[in-house]
Amino acid sequence: MKPGDRMSKIIALANQKGGVGKTTSSINLAASLAVLEYRTLLVDADPQANSTSGIGFDPRTIKASIYECIINDVEPRDAIQKTETPNLDLLPAHIDLVGAEIEMINLNEREYKMKLVLDKVKDDYDFIIIDCSPSLGLITINALTAANSVIIPVQCEYFALEGLGKLLNTIKIVQNRLNPDLEIEGILLTMYDVRLRLSNQVVEEVKTHFQDLVFETIIQRNTRLSEAPSFGVSVIMHDANCKGSINYLNLAREIIRKNGMVDEAETKQETVIS
């Protein structure tokens, strides 16, 4: 199967715990899939709008965002922005998204609003990556209801598994009541430091708990990865040969393989990286 020949796969990145590398992973996974020649949409569903700014847009100047699409029925195609990365588009966020949760409370079918928005554009893309807010509020529930699967980023630090039970319980509720097709795409270990024994202990602990659910790819701590958002670009556009770029390209390939999609760009990309 070639890129572009299939239905869209919608993947939400969710963890109500902040600082786990969720936005970093959303931006860089989306950019890696795009570089591997899959049409990709990055959806910023976090009122902090870090995915929007991290990929080169000023949230304060955004006229139409995911908020307007959900609350005011703005057509998503009128809000989607092209990024500097070929094959990568952005459905941005801005601070108004904070108010969306309150405004949605009285709406009919309030948990399905994001699904209705993404249904309008999903056939334009191979992958849609949703960056969720660090909470289990209504916007995150909307993202999980709209998604085919969820990636859970977990940092290789103390208390890594703290709060994970709550998130898994929320996923189970969404599966039971709103989206029976939702699957866990995988648990992604982030901020791994090869020098720290603690990092290795966390990897072992998470793998013992969750076994096959854990991605083979582990995202290592990397200076280039940390500084890329300040330039408004993904790490692969910032430095294609750094460890962070290679990690996220490997994650993209792992997801492509897992979903039974042949990645024609793989050989070509490996030649570039090596």
PDB file of all heavy atoms in Angstrom, residues 144-160:
ATOM      1  N   LEU A 144     -10.211  11.822  22.289  1.00  0.00           N
ATOM      2  CA  LEU A 144     -10.230  10.357  22.397  1.00  0.00           C
ATOM      3  C   LEU A 144     -11.439   9.767  21.670  1.00  0.00           C
ATOM      4  O   LEU A 144     -11.370   8.657  21.134  1.00  0.00           O
ATOM      5  CB  LEU A 144     -10.239   9.935  23.872  1.00  0.00           C
ATOM      6  CG  LEU A 144      -8.967  10.271  24.666  1.00  0.00           C
ATOM      7  CD1 LEU A 144      -9.158   9.930  26.141  1.00  0.00           C
ATOM      8  CD2 LEU A 144      -7.751   9.548  24.108  1.00  0.00           C
ATOM      9  N   THR A 145     -12.531  10.521  21.623  1.00  0.00           N
ATOM     10  CA  THR A 145     -13.728  10.060  20.902  1.00  0.00           C
ATOM     11  C   THR A 145     -13.509  10.140  19.391  1.00  0.00           C
ATOM     12  O   THR A 145     -14.022   9.317  18.634  1.00  0.00           O
ATOM     13  CB  THR A 145     -14.950  10.899  21.324  1.00  0.00           C
ATOM     14  OG1 THR A 145     -15.104  10.797  22.745  1.00  0.00           O
ATOM     15  CG2 THR A 145     -16.224  10.410  20.676  1.00  0.00           C
ATOM     16  N   ALA A 146     -12.713  11.119  18.965  1.00  0.00           N
ATOM     17  CA  ALA A 146     -12.445  11.293  17.529  1.00  0.00           C
ATOM     18  C   ALA A 146     -11.360  10.346  17.015  1.00  0.00           C
ATOM     19  O   ALA A 146     -11.288  10.067  15.815  1.00  0.00           O
ATOM     20  CB  ALA A 146     -12.016  12.737  17.261  1.00  0.00           C
ATOM     21  N   ALA A 147     -10.513   9.846  17.920  1.00  0.00           N
ATOM     22  CA  ALA A 147      -9.306   9.113  17.511  1.00  0.00           C
ATOM     23  C   ALA A 147      -9.572   7.626  17.255  1.00  0.00           C
ATOM     24  O   ALA A 147     -10.505   7.042  17.792  1.00  0.00           O
ATOM     25  CB  ALA A 147      -8.229   9.261  18.579  1.00  0.00           C
ATOM     26  N   ASN A 148      -8.717   7.038  16.416  1.00  0.00           N
ATOM     27  CA  ASN A 148      -8.684   5.578  16.263  1.00  0.00           C
ATOM     28  C   ASN A 148      -7.828   4.947  17.352  1.00  0.00           C
ATOM     29  O   ASN A 148      -8.041   3.805  17.746  1.00  0.00           O
ATOM     30  CB  ASN A 148      -8.094   5.181  14.906  1.00  0.00           C
ATOM     31  CG  ASN A 148      -8.837   5.806  13.742  1.00  0.00           C
ATOM     32  OD1 ASN A 148      -8.276   6.608  13.009  1.00  0.00           O
ATOM     33  ND2 ASN A 148     -10.100   5.461  13.565  1.00  0.00           N
ATOM     34  N   SER A 149      -6.809   5.706  17.787  1.00  0.00           N
ATOM     35  CA  SER A 149      -5.904   5.151  18.802  1.00  0.00           C
ATOM     36  C   SER A 149      -5.262   6.282  19.601  1.00  0.00           C
ATOM     37  O   SER A 149      -5.355   7.455  19.231  1.00  0.00           O
ATOM     38  CB  SER A 149      -4.819   4.290  18.147  1.00  0.00           C
ATOM     39  OG  SER A 149      -3.980   5.083  17.335  1.00  0.00           O
ATOM     40  N   VAL A 150      -4.628   5.883  20.701  1.00  0.00           N
ATOM     41  CA  VAL A 150      -3.981   6.872  21.574  1.00  0.00           C
ATOM     42  C   VAL A 150      -2.554   6.436  21.894  1.00  0.00           C
ATOM     43  O   VAL A 150      -2.295   5.255  22.137  1.00  0.00           O
ATOM     44  CB  VAL A 150      -4.823   7.101  22.861  1.00  0.00           C
ATOM     45  CG1 VAL A 150      -5.083   5.803  23.615  1.00  0.00           C
ATOM     46  CG2 VAL A 150      -4.169   8.119  23.786  1.00  0.00           C
ATOM     47  N   ILE A 151      -1.640   7.399  21.829  1.00  0.00           N
ATOM     48  CA  ILE A 151      -0.263   7.196  22.286  1.00  0.00           C
ATOM     49  C   ILE A 151      -0.135   7.876  23.642  1.00  0.00           C
ATOM     50  O   ILE A 151      -0.560   9.022  23.817  1.00  0.00           O
ATOM     51  CB  ILE A 151       0.756   7.798  21.297  1.00  0.00           C
ATOM     52  CG1 ILE A 151       0.778   6.988  19.992  1.00  0.00           C
ATOM     53  CG2 ILE A 151       2.166   7.850  21.905  1.00  0.00           C
ATOM     54  CD1 ILE A 151       1.649   7.592  18.889  1.00  0.00           C
ATOM     55  N   ILE A 152       0.436   7.162  24.607  1.00  0.00           N
ATOM     56  CA  ILE A 152       0.619   7.715  25.955  1.00  0.00           C
ATOM     57  C   ILE A 152       2.114   7.948  26.192  1.00  0.00           C
ATOM     58  O   ILE A 152       2.873   6.992  26.359  1.00  0.00           O
ATOM     59  CB  ILE A 152       0.065   6.750  27.030  1.00  0.00           C
ATOM     60  CG1 ILE A 152      -1.409   6.429  26.740  1.00  0.00           C
ATOM     61  CG2 ILE A 152       0.251   7.332  28.426  1.00  0.00           C
ATOM     62  CD1 ILE A 152      -1.967   5.265  27.565  1.00  0.00           C
ATOM     63  N   PRO A 153       2.554   9.215  26.179  1.00  0.00           N
ATOM     64  CA  PRO A 153       3.962   9.486  26.487  1.00  0.00           C
ATOM     65  C   PRO A 153       4.201   9.389  28.000  1.00  0.00           C
ATOM     66  O   PRO A 153       3.398   9.877  28.792  1.00  0.00           O
ATOM     67  CB  PRO A 153       4.191  10.923  26.007  1.00  0.00           C
ATOM     68  CG  PRO A 153       2.929  11.327  25.292  1.00  0.00           C
ATOM     69  CD  PRO A 153       1.840  10.450  25.836  1.00  0.00           C
ATOM     70  N   VAL A 154       5.290   8.723  28.369  1.00  0.00           N
ATOM     71  CA  VAL A 154       5.661   8.551  29.786  1.00  0.00           C
ATOM     72  C   VAL A 154       7.138   8.909  29.921  1.00  0.00           C
ATOM     73  O   VAL A 154       7.981   8.361  29.203  1.00  0.00           O
ATOM     74  CB  VAL A 154       5.437   7.083  30.231  1.00  0.00           C
ATOM     75  CG1 VAL A 154       6.003   6.842  31.617  1.00  0.00           C
ATOM     76  CG2 VAL A 154       3.956   6.729  30.194  1.00  0.00           C
ATOM     77  N   GLN A 155       7.458   9.840  30.802  1.00  0.00           N
ATOM     78  CA  GLN A 155       8.856  10.251  30.914  1.00  0.00           C
ATOM     79  C   GLN A 155       9.636   9.304  31.821  1.00  0.00           C
ATOM     80  O   GLN A 155       9.087   8.742  32.776  1.00  0.00           O
ATOM     81  CB  GLN A 155       8.969  11.705  31.383  1.00  0.00           C
ATOM     82  CG  GLN A 155       8.865  11.962  32.877  1.00  0.00           C
ATOM     83  CD  GLN A 155       7.448  11.898  33.400  1.00  0.00           C
ATOM     84  OE1 GLN A 155       6.636  11.060  32.976  1.00  0.00           O
ATOM     85  NE2 GLN A 155       7.151  12.743  34.360  1.00  0.00           N
ATOM     86  N   CYS A 156      10.918   9.117  31.500  1.00  0.00           N
ATOM     87  CA  CYS A 156      11.769   8.186  32.268  1.00  0.00           C
ATOM     88  C   CYS A 156      12.302   8.878  33.517  1.00  0.00           C
ATOM     89  O   CYS A 156      13.513   9.101  33.666  1.00  0.00           O
ATOM     90  CB  CYS A 156      12.917   7.683  31.391  1.00  0.00           C
ATOM     91  SG  CYS A 156      12.361   6.721  29.985  1.00  0.00           S
ATOM     92  N   GLU A 157      11.405   9.249  34.419  1.00  0.00           N
ATOM     93  CA  GLU A 157      11.773   9.948  35.643  1.00  0.00           C
ATOM     94  C   GLU A 157      10.961   9.389  36.804  1.00  0.00           C
ATOM     95  O   GLU A 157      10.077   8.568  36.614  1.00  0.00           O
ATOM     96  CB  GLU A 157      11.507  11.462  35.477  1.00  0.00           C
ATOM     97  CG  GLU A 157      12.448  12.097  34.450  1.00  0.00           C
ATOM     98  CD  GLU A 157      12.122  13.554  34.163  1.00  0.00           C
ATOM     99  OE1 GLU A 157      11.169  14.074  34.776  1.00  0.00           O
ATOM    100  OE2 GLU A 157      12.815  14.162  33.334  1.00  0.00           O
ATOM    101  N   TYR A 158      11.270   9.864  38.030  1.00  0.00           N
ATOM    102  CA  TYR A 158      10.491   9.447  39.201  1.00  0.00           C
ATOM    103  C   TYR A 158       9.000   9.686  38.962  1.00  0.00           C
ATOM    104  O   TYR A 158       8.624  10.621  38.267  1.00  0.00           O
ATOM    105  CB  TYR A 158      10.913  10.254  40.434  1.00  0.00           C
ATOM    106  CG  TYR A 158      12.102   9.677  41.153  1.00  0.00           C
ATOM    107  CD1 TYR A 158      13.247  10.430  41.363  1.00  0.00           C
ATOM    108  CD2 TYR A 158      12.089   8.366  41.635  1.00  0.00           C
ATOM    109  CE1 TYR A 158      14.347   9.914  42.018  1.00  0.00           C
ATOM    110  CE2 TYR A 158      13.170   7.824  42.293  1.00  0.00           C
ATOM    111  CZ  TYR A 158      14.299   8.600  42.488  1.00  0.00           C
ATOM    112  OH  TYR A 158      15.386   8.080  43.136  1.00  0.00           O
ATOM    113  N   PHE A 159       8.184   8.872  39.570  1.00  0.00           N
ATOM    114  CA  PHE A 159       6.720   8.985  39.467  1.00  0.00           C
ATOM    115  C   PHE A 159       6.235   8.839  38.028  1.00  0.00           C
ATOM    116  O   PHE A 159       5.201   9.378  37.657  1.00  0.00           O
ATOM    117  CB  PHE A 159       6.213  10.324  40.035  1.00  0.00           C
ATOM    118  CG  PHE A 159       6.679  10.598  41.436  1.00  0.00           C
ATOM    119  CD1 PHE A 159       7.391  11.751  41.726  1.00  0.00           C
ATOM    120  CD2 PHE A 159       6.417   9.700  42.460  1.00  0.00           C
ATOM    121  CE1 PHE A 159       7.837  12.005  43.021  1.00  0.00           C
ATOM    122  CE2 PHE A 159       6.844   9.951  43.755  1.00  0.00           C
ATOM    123  CZ  PHE A 159       7.558  11.107  44.032  1.00  0.00           C
ATOM    124  N   ALA A 160       6.976   8.114  37.193  1.00  0.00           N
ATOM    125  CA  ALA A 160       6.595   7.964  35.782  1.00  0.00           C
ATOM    126  C   ALA A 160       5.196   7.376  35.633  1.00  0.00           C
ATOM    127  O   ALA A 160       4.431   7.780  34.765  1.00  0.00           O
ATOM    128  CB  ALA A 160       7.613   7.085  35.066  1.00  0.00           C
TER     129      ALA A 160
END
